[in-house]
Amino acid sequence: MLLLYYRKRVIPMTDVKKLVEEYGDQIIKNRRYLHAHPELSFQETNTAAWIRDHLTKAGIELMPGITGNSTVGFLKGSQPGPSIGLRADFDALGLTETNDLPYKSTNPGVMHACGHDAHASILMAVAETLARHRELVRGTVYFVFEQGEEFLPGGAQQLVKDGIMDHIDYMFAIHVNASAPLGQIDIHDGVRFAAVGTYDFKIRGKGGHGGFPHKANNPIFAASELVNDIALIPALKCDPLANCTVSVSYLHCGVEGVANVIPETVSMGGCVRVLDTDLRQSVMEEIERLGNSICAAHQCEVKTTMVYGYPACKNDASCVSIMQDTAGAMGITVIDCPPSLGAEDFGYFSEQKPAAVAWFGMGDPTGTHELTPHHNPKFYLYDEKGLPLALEYMLSVYLKAANTL
């Protein structure tokens, strides 16, 4: 018999497996229901109602004062222990699903193409299982269901403002990964995802006739200079060893095919991604400074919008150790991918308390279904085997954390 060895008690892994077997295929049914009924970020009213209904029926108390569709339930144990948070997001994306599945999206133009339906069903299964076996709860466990992860500024920021991290000592999460096969998990110690920011410039000059440029003030020249200078920021303003990218993602001006009209306005913008939240601050300030000074030099007006998005997401070593040890005990292959300039608003939680998020492989290892990227209309999860394994994993992570931290 394999055992999970904890400082305070020893729990046989076979007992956790029995809990998963006891829950049965309800986790698959729940995920497929949510997959068929996706809702966009900050519009997840029906999903939130489904979550609250299930938590309430399980006898799980809801935390008051939570904004919007985000929902936090909690259970208090009879024995002392830490306050552990387990997080799942549940918003979907603006995509049209092309999979031919009996549970494909029934909401035109909206799809769960990043696995948030799986996250919500896994966390709900953990919550309902622990509600049935409260003797396993030490301290307090919080079930954090987060709205709007996909859309800046993200749902986690408001949850922090609502004060949930004042109650939580440690936070854990998994993100399913359709691009990696089931049986593999990526857990990185340290910064895992980038801090992100966006910028937008609305530049106004003076429109006119192409034959009389001296009577106009062409804003395209200010925009062109901005494109060049913004692109040079990583090379000239950042440590060469820092991981920083600054993109100019859109530039709109004039009317295509109309060659003799100097436009009145230009709109342009892009994004910043960097592994250091403090460096993001200085890069964003430099972009704003350039926008104001260059436009002033060209005698153009400019309206600047700077959005400071998710902070860098940093995994805590003690939380990573728990997640790695648990995966190893279950026979899941642990890999350590390097940091990514992708973004994850779990970083708001990891700014406040020790936390860790892992990428849990849930692609089809048999090859029947091709591994798919995320945010793709063919996004596919090997849920029949993957969801029960994820439930076993997250239950085991909670039990290890509650009994060792």
Side-chain angles (χ1 to χ4, degrees), residues 327-358:
M330 290 177 57
I332 299 173
T333 301
V334 178
I335 61 173
D336 184 356
C337 288
S340 163
L341 290 180
E344 165 60 67
D345 80 342
F346 191 81
Y348 286 115
F349 302 130
S350 67
E351 275 190 325
Q352 302 292 318
K353 297 289 177 66
V357 59

PDB file of all heavy atoms in Angstrom, residues 327-358:
ATOM      1  N   ALA A 327       2.579  14.599  -6.461  1.00  0.00           N
ATOM      2  CA  ALA A 327       2.597  14.025  -7.816  1.00  0.00           C
ATOM      3  C   ALA A 327       3.497  12.805  -7.872  1.00  0.00           C
ATOM      4  O   ALA A 327       3.134  11.776  -8.464  1.00  0.00           O
ATOM      5  CB  ALA A 327       3.050  15.085  -8.815  1.00  0.00           C
ATOM      6  N   GLY A 328       4.681  12.904  -7.256  1.00  0.00           N
ATOM      7  CA  GLY A 328       5.607  11.771  -7.256  1.00  0.00           C
ATOM      8  C   GLY A 328       5.017  10.543  -6.591  1.00  0.00           C
ATOM      9  O   GLY A 328       5.179   9.418  -7.072  1.00  0.00           O
ATOM     10  N   ALA A 329       4.318  10.765  -5.471  1.00  0.00           N
ATOM     11  CA  ALA A 329       3.711   9.640  -4.752  1.00  0.00           C
ATOM     12  C   ALA A 329       2.612   8.972  -5.572  1.00  0.00           C
ATOM     13  O   ALA A 329       2.341   7.769  -5.406  1.00  0.00           O
ATOM     14  CB  ALA A 329       3.145  10.121  -3.410  1.00  0.00           C
ATOM     15  N   MET A 330       1.984   9.736  -6.468  1.00  0.00           N
ATOM     16  CA  MET A 330       0.908   9.191  -7.306  1.00  0.00           C
ATOM     17  C   MET A 330       1.438   8.611  -8.610  1.00  0.00           C
ATOM     18  O   MET A 330       0.655   8.074  -9.403  1.00  0.00           O
ATOM     19  CB  MET A 330      -0.118  10.283  -7.613  1.00  0.00           C
ATOM     20  CG  MET A 330      -0.944  10.718  -6.423  1.00  0.00           C
ATOM     21  SD  MET A 330      -2.075  12.085  -6.825  1.00  0.00           S
ATOM     22  CE  MET A 330      -3.042  11.376  -8.176  1.00  0.00           C
ATOM     23  N   GLY A 331       2.740   8.723  -8.866  1.00  0.00           N
ATOM     24  CA  GLY A 331       3.296   8.215 -10.105  1.00  0.00           C
ATOM     25  C   GLY A 331       3.117   9.147 -11.288  1.00  0.00           C
ATOM     26  O   GLY A 331       3.293   8.730 -12.445  1.00  0.00           O
ATOM     27  N   ILE A 332       2.794  10.410 -11.021  1.00  0.00           N
ATOM     28  CA  ILE A 332       2.678  11.415 -12.086  1.00  0.00           C
ATOM     29  C   ILE A 332       4.065  11.982 -12.364  1.00  0.00           C
ATOM     30  O   ILE A 332       4.797  12.333 -11.443  1.00  0.00           O
ATOM     31  CB  ILE A 332       1.713  12.543 -11.676  1.00  0.00           C
ATOM     32  CG1 ILE A 332       0.310  11.973 -11.432  1.00  0.00           C
ATOM     33  CG2 ILE A 332       1.674  13.635 -12.725  1.00  0.00           C
ATOM     34  CD1 ILE A 332      -0.667  12.988 -10.848  1.00  0.00           C
ATOM     35  N   THR A 333       4.429  12.050 -13.624  1.00  0.00           N
ATOM     36  CA  THR A 333       5.744  12.562 -14.007  1.00  0.00           C
ATOM     37  C   THR A 333       5.810  14.068 -13.802  1.00  0.00           C
ATOM     38  O   THR A 333       4.982  14.815 -14.353  1.00  0.00           O
ATOM     39  CB  THR A 333       6.043  12.235 -15.478  1.00  0.00           C
ATOM     40  OG1 THR A 333       6.005  10.815 -15.655  1.00  0.00           O
ATOM     41  CG2 THR A 333       7.414  12.765 -15.881  1.00  0.00           C
ATOM     42  N   VAL A 334       6.770  14.502 -13.003  1.00  0.00           N
ATOM     43  CA  VAL A 334       6.931  15.928 -12.712  1.00  0.00           C
ATOM     44  C   VAL A 334       7.980  16.511 -13.652  1.00  0.00           C
ATOM     45  O   VAL A 334       9.109  16.006 -13.731  1.00  0.00           O
ATOM     46  CB  VAL A 334       7.349  16.158 -11.248  1.00  0.00           C
ATOM     47  CG1 VAL A 334       7.558  17.650 -10.980  1.00  0.00           C
ATOM     48  CG2 VAL A 334       6.304  15.575 -10.298  1.00  0.00           C
ATOM     49  N   ILE A 335       7.605  17.553 -14.360  1.00  0.00           N
ATOM     50  CA  ILE A 335       8.561  18.273 -15.198  1.00  0.00           C
ATOM     51  C   ILE A 335       8.628  19.717 -14.712  1.00  0.00           C
ATOM     52  O   ILE A 335       7.713  20.211 -14.048  1.00  0.00           O
ATOM     53  CB  ILE A 335       8.191  18.225 -16.697  1.00  0.00           C
ATOM     54  CG1 ILE A 335       6.824  18.874 -16.938  1.00  0.00           C
ATOM     55  CG2 ILE A 335       8.197  16.805 -17.203  1.00  0.00           C
ATOM     56  CD1 ILE A 335       6.468  19.007 -18.395  1.00  0.00           C
ATOM     57  N   ASP A 336       9.710  20.374 -15.027  1.00  0.00           N
ATOM     58  CA  ASP A 336       9.916  21.757 -14.601  1.00  0.00           C
ATOM     59  C   ASP A 336      10.178  22.596 -15.844  1.00  0.00           C
ATOM     60  O   ASP A 336      11.303  22.681 -16.323  1.00  0.00           O
ATOM     61  CB  ASP A 336      11.088  21.841 -13.615  1.00  0.00           C
ATOM     62  CG  ASP A 336      11.291  23.245 -13.058  1.00  0.00           C
ATOM     63  OD1 ASP A 336      10.571  24.158 -13.507  1.00  0.00           O
ATOM     64  OD2 ASP A 336      12.155  23.422 -12.184  1.00  0.00           O
ATOM     65  N   CYS A 337       9.108  23.195 -16.380  1.00  0.00           N
ATOM     66  CA  CYS A 337       9.257  24.043 -17.555  1.00  0.00           C
ATOM     67  C   CYS A 337       9.799  25.404 -17.139  1.00  0.00           C
ATOM     68  O   CYS A 337       9.523  25.880 -16.042  1.00  0.00           O
ATOM     69  CB  CYS A 337       7.913  24.228 -18.248  1.00  0.00           C
ATOM     70  SG  CYS A 337       7.339  22.758 -19.114  1.00  0.00           S
ATOM     71  N   PRO A 338      10.568  26.048 -17.988  1.00  0.00           N
ATOM     72  CA  PRO A 338      11.073  27.384 -17.661  1.00  0.00           C
ATOM     73  C   PRO A 338       9.934  28.390 -17.607  1.00  0.00           C
ATOM     74  O   PRO A 338       8.833  28.130 -18.112  1.00  0.00           O
ATOM     75  CB  PRO A 338      12.028  27.684 -18.821  1.00  0.00           C
ATOM     76  CG  PRO A 338      11.540  26.840 -19.948  1.00  0.00           C
ATOM     77  CD  PRO A 338      11.020  25.582 -19.316  1.00  0.00           C
ATOM     78  N   PRO A 339      10.174  29.540 -17.005  1.00  0.00           N
ATOM     79  CA  PRO A 339       9.135  30.574 -16.945  1.00  0.00           C
ATOM     80  C   PRO A 339       8.624  30.949 -18.334  1.00  0.00           C
ATOM     81  O   PRO A 339       9.344  30.861 -19.328  1.00  0.00           O
ATOM     82  CB  PRO A 339       9.846  31.756 -16.272  1.00  0.00           C
ATOM     83  CG  PRO A 339      10.966  31.143 -15.506  1.00  0.00           C
ATOM     84  CD  PRO A 339      11.411  29.962 -16.314  1.00  0.00           C
ATOM     85  N   SER A 340       7.373  31.373 -18.363  1.00  0.00           N
ATOM     86  CA  SER A 340       6.721  31.727 -19.619  1.00  0.00           C
ATOM     87  C   SER A 340       6.267  33.184 -19.559  1.00  0.00           C
ATOM     88  O   SER A 340       5.921  33.690 -18.493  1.00  0.00           O
ATOM     89  CB  SER A 340       5.517  30.813 -19.850  1.00  0.00           C
ATOM     90  OG  SER A 340       4.641  31.340 -20.825  1.00  0.00           O
ATOM     91  N   LEU A 341       6.239  33.847 -20.717  1.00  0.00           N
ATOM     92  CA  LEU A 341       5.717  35.200 -20.783  1.00  0.00           C
ATOM     93  C   LEU A 341       4.212  35.222 -21.013  1.00  0.00           C
ATOM     94  O   LEU A 341       3.624  36.265 -21.302  1.00  0.00           O
ATOM     95  CB  LEU A 341       6.443  36.008 -21.860  1.00  0.00           C
ATOM     96  CG  LEU A 341       7.898  36.353 -21.535  1.00  0.00           C
ATOM     97  CD1 LEU A 341       8.523  37.155 -22.667  1.00  0.00           C
ATOM     98  CD2 LEU A 341       8.016  37.113 -20.226  1.00  0.00           C
ATOM     99  N   GLY A 342       3.575  34.055 -20.856  1.00  0.00           N
ATOM    100  CA  GLY A 342       2.132  34.041 -20.709  1.00  0.00           C
ATOM    101  C   GLY A 342       1.772  34.670 -19.370  1.00  0.00           C
ATOM    102  O   GLY A 342       2.645  34.940 -18.538  1.00  0.00           O
ATOM    103  N   ALA A 343       0.500  34.911 -19.140  1.00  0.00           N
ATOM    104  CA  ALA A 343       0.069  35.582 -17.907  1.00  0.00           C
ATOM    105  C   ALA A 343      -1.035  34.779 -17.237  1.00  0.00           C
ATOM    106  O   ALA A 343      -1.808  34.092 -17.901  1.00  0.00           O
ATOM    107  CB  ALA A 343      -0.403  36.996 -18.201  1.00  0.00           C
ATOM    108  N   GLU A 344      -1.104  34.881 -15.915  1.00  0.00           N
ATOM    109  CA  GLU A 344      -2.084  34.147 -15.115  1.00  0.00           C
ATOM    110  C   GLU A 344      -2.393  34.990 -13.879  1.00  0.00           C
ATOM    111  O   GLU A 344      -1.483  35.348 -13.128  1.00  0.00           O
ATOM    112  CB  GLU A 344      -1.498  32.773 -14.723  1.00  0.00           C
ATOM    113  CG  GLU A 344      -2.196  32.040 -13.624  1.00  0.00           C
ATOM    114  CD  GLU A 344      -3.643  31.721 -13.916  1.00  0.00           C
ATOM    115  OE1 GLU A 344      -3.909  30.902 -14.820  1.00  0.00           O
ATOM    116  OE2 GLU A 344      -4.506  32.302 -13.227  1.00  0.00           O
ATOM    117  N   ASP A 345      -3.670  35.334 -13.680  1.00  0.00           N
ATOM    118  CA  ASP A 345      -3.977  36.257 -12.584  1.00  0.00           C
ATOM    119  C   ASP A 345      -3.916  35.608 -11.208  1.00  0.00           C
ATOM    120  O   ASP A 345      -4.154  36.271 -10.191  1.00  0.00           O
ATOM    121  CB  ASP A 345      -5.304  36.981 -12.824  1.00  0.00           C
ATOM    122  CG  ASP A 345      -6.541  36.169 -12.473  1.00  0.00           C
ATOM    123  OD1 ASP A 345      -6.448  34.940 -12.349  1.00  0.00           O
ATOM    124  OD2 ASP A 345      -7.619  36.787 -12.340  1.00  0.00           O
ATOM    125  N   PHE A 346      -3.542  34.345 -11.144  1.00  0.00           N
ATOM    126  CA  PHE A 346      -3.193  33.716  -9.866  1.00  0.00           C
ATOM    127  C   PHE A 346      -2.071  34.509  -9.188  1.00  0.00           C
ATOM    128  O   PHE A 346      -1.885  34.426  -7.973  1.00  0.00           O
ATOM    129  CB  PHE A 346      -2.765  32.273 -10.122  1.00  0.00           C
ATOM    130  CG  PHE A 346      -2.625  31.425  -8.888  1.00  0.00           C
ATOM    131  CD1 PHE A 346      -3.727  30.840  -8.289  1.00  0.00           C
ATOM    132  CD2 PHE A 346      -1.377  31.188  -8.334  1.00  0.00           C
ATOM    133  CE1 PHE A 346      -3.596  30.050  -7.162  1.00  0.00           C
ATOM    134  CE2 PHE A 346      -1.230  30.396  -7.208  1.00  0.00           C
ATOM    135  CZ  PHE A 346      -2.339  29.825  -6.612  1.00  0.00           C
ATOM    136  N   GLY A 347      -1.330  35.289  -9.975  1.00  0.00           N
ATOM    137  CA  GLY A 347      -0.265  36.116  -9.428  1.00  0.00           C
ATOM    138  C   GLY A 347      -0.748  37.090  -8.367  1.00  0.00           C
ATOM    139  O   GLY A 347       0.025  37.463  -7.468  1.00  0.00           O
ATOM    140  N   TYR A 348      -2.007  37.533  -8.443  1.00  0.00           N
ATOM    141  CA  TYR A 348      -2.538  38.405  -7.395  1.00  0.00           C
ATOM    142  C   TYR A 348      -2.553  37.693  -6.043  1.00  0.00           C
ATOM    143  O   TYR A 348      -2.314  38.305  -4.997  1.00  0.00           O
ATOM    144  CB  TYR A 348      -3.956  38.858  -7.738  1.00  0.00           C
ATOM    145  CG  TYR A 348      -4.031  39.891  -8.831  1.00  0.00           C
ATOM    146  CD1 TYR A 348      -4.642  39.598 -10.045  1.00  0.00           C
ATOM    147  CD2 TYR A 348      -3.506  41.167  -8.658  1.00  0.00           C
ATOM    148  CE1 TYR A 348      -4.730  40.544 -11.056  1.00  0.00           C
ATOM    149  CE2 TYR A 348      -3.586  42.119  -9.659  1.00  0.00           C
ATOM    150  CZ  TYR A 348      -4.204  41.808 -10.855  1.00  0.00           C
ATOM    151  OH  TYR A 348      -4.273  42.755 -11.854  1.00  0.00           O
ATOM    152  N   PHE A 349      -2.837  36.386  -6.054  1.00  0.00           N
ATOM    153  CA  PHE A 349      -2.835  35.614  -4.814  1.00  0.00           C
ATOM    154  C   PHE A 349      -1.402  35.392  -4.321  1.00  0.00           C
ATOM    155  O   PHE A 349      -1.118  35.514  -3.125  1.00  0.00           O
ATOM    156  CB  PHE A 349      -3.536  34.269  -5.010  1.00  0.00           C
ATOM    157  CG  PHE A 349      -4.953  34.367  -5.491  1.00  0.00           C
ATOM    158  CD1 PHE A 349      -5.395  33.622  -6.577  1.00  0.00           C
ATOM    159  CD2 PHE A 349      -5.858  35.219  -4.876  1.00  0.00           C
ATOM    160  CE1 PHE A 349      -6.700  33.705  -7.031  1.00  0.00           C
ATOM    161  CE2 PHE A 349      -7.172  35.318  -5.319  1.00  0.00           C
ATOM    162  CZ  PHE A 349      -7.592  34.551  -6.403  1.00  0.00           C
ATOM    163  N   SER A 350      -0.503  35.056  -5.268  1.00  0.00           N
ATOM    164  CA  SER A 350       0.877  34.753  -4.862  1.00  0.00           C
ATOM    165  C   SER A 350       1.628  35.994  -4.403  1.00  0.00           C
ATOM    166  O   SER A 350       2.658  35.880  -3.744  1.00  0.00           O
ATOM    167  CB  SER A 350       1.634  34.060  -6.004  1.00  0.00           C
ATOM    168  OG  SER A 350       1.842  34.924  -7.103  1.00  0.00           O
ATOM    169  N   GLU A 351       1.121  37.194  -4.733  1.00  0.00           N
ATOM    170  CA  GLU A 351       1.688  38.421  -4.179  1.00  0.00           C
ATOM    171  C   GLU A 351       1.401  38.546  -2.689  1.00  0.00           C
ATOM    172  O   GLU A 351       2.157  39.189  -1.957  1.00  0.00           O
ATOM    173  CB  GLU A 351       1.092  39.651  -4.880  1.00  0.00           C
ATOM    174  CG  GLU A 351       1.748  40.076  -6.156  1.00  0.00           C
ATOM    175  CD  GLU A 351       1.249  41.427  -6.622  1.00  0.00           C
ATOM    176  OE1 GLU A 351       0.052  41.736  -6.427  1.00  0.00           O
ATOM    177  OE2 GLU A 351       2.056  42.185  -7.189  1.00  0.00           O
ATOM    178  N   GLN A 352       0.306  37.932  -2.257  1.00  0.00           N
ATOM    179  CA  GLN A 352      -0.172  38.130  -0.894  1.00  0.00           C
ATOM    180  C   GLN A 352       0.304  37.056   0.085  1.00  0.00           C
ATOM    181  O   GLN A 352       0.696  37.366   1.216  1.00  0.00           O
ATOM    182  CB  GLN A 352      -1.710  38.139  -0.892  1.00  0.00           C
ATOM    183  CG  GLN A 352      -2.334  39.196  -1.785  1.00  0.00           C
ATOM    184  CD  GLN A 352      -2.099  40.597  -1.291  1.00  0.00           C
ATOM    185  OE1 GLN A 352      -2.191  40.863  -0.096  1.00  0.00           O
ATOM    186  NE2 GLN A 352      -1.781  41.509  -2.208  1.00  0.00           N
ATOM    187  N   LYS A 353       0.268  35.794  -0.350  1.00  0.00           N
ATOM    188  CA  LYS A 353       0.577  34.672   0.529  1.00  0.00           C
ATOM    189  C   LYS A 353       1.321  33.587  -0.256  1.00  0.00           C
ATOM    190  O   LYS A 353       1.280  33.567  -1.495  1.00  0.00           O
ATOM    191  CB  LYS A 353      -0.725  34.066   1.107  1.00  0.00           C
ATOM    192  CG  LYS A 353      -1.528  35.017   2.002  1.00  0.00           C
ATOM    193  CD  LYS A 353      -0.837  35.268   3.322  1.00  0.00           C
ATOM    194  CE  LYS A 353      -1.608  36.277   4.174  1.00  0.00           C
ATOM    195  NZ  LYS A 353      -2.923  35.812   4.625  1.00  0.00           N
ATOM    196  N   PRO A 354       1.986  32.661   0.441  1.00  0.00           N
ATOM    197  CA  PRO A 354       2.619  31.546  -0.276  1.00  0.00           C
ATOM    198  C   PRO A 354       1.583  30.791  -1.112  1.00  0.00           C
ATOM    199  O   PRO A 354       0.501  30.466  -0.616  1.00  0.00           O
ATOM    200  CB  PRO A 354       3.179  30.667   0.852  1.00  0.00           C
ATOM    201  CG  PRO A 354       3.336  31.598   2.012  1.00  0.00           C
ATOM    202  CD  PRO A 354       2.229  32.587   1.904  1.00  0.00           C
ATOM    203  N   ALA A 355       1.935  30.514  -2.353  1.00  0.00           N
ATOM    204  CA  ALA A 355       0.968  29.918  -3.279  1.00  0.00           C
ATOM    205  C   ALA A 355       1.710  29.187  -4.378  1.00  0.00           C
ATOM    206  O   ALA A 355       2.896  29.422  -4.613  1.00  0.00           O
ATOM    207  CB  ALA A 355       0.070  31.007  -3.876  1.00  0.00           C
ATOM    208  N   ALA A 356       0.991  28.309  -5.058  1.00  0.00           N
ATOM    209  CA  ALA A 356       1.570  27.618  -6.213  1.00  0.00           C
ATOM    210  C   ALA A 356       0.463  27.153  -7.138  1.00  0.00           C
ATOM    211  O   ALA A 356      -0.604  26.708  -6.686  1.00  0.00           O
ATOM    212  CB  ALA A 356       2.427  26.433  -5.782  1.00  0.00           C
ATOM    213  N   VAL A 357       0.720  27.263  -8.439  1.00  0.00           N
ATOM    214  CA  VAL A 357      -0.169  26.740  -9.466  1.00  0.00           C
ATOM    215  C   VAL A 357       0.647  25.821 -10.362  1.00  0.00           C
ATOM    216  O   VAL A 357       1.791  26.129 -10.705  1.00  0.00           O
ATOM    217  CB  VAL A 357      -0.829  27.883 -10.273  1.00  0.00           C
ATOM    218  CG1 VAL A 357       0.219  28.772 -10.939  1.00  0.00           C
ATOM    219  CG2 VAL A 357      -1.800  27.334 -11.322  1.00  0.00           C
ATOM    220  N   ALA A 358       0.071  24.689 -10.708  1.00  0.00           N
ATOM    221  CA  ALA A 358       0.742  23.700 -11.555  1.00  0.00           C
ATOM    222  C   ALA A 358      -0.081  23.456 -12.809  1.00  0.00           C
ATOM    223  O   ALA A 358      -1.308  23.606 -12.803  1.00  0.00           O
ATOM    224  CB  ALA A 358       0.936  22.392 -10.796  1.00  0.00           C
TER     225      ALA A 358
END
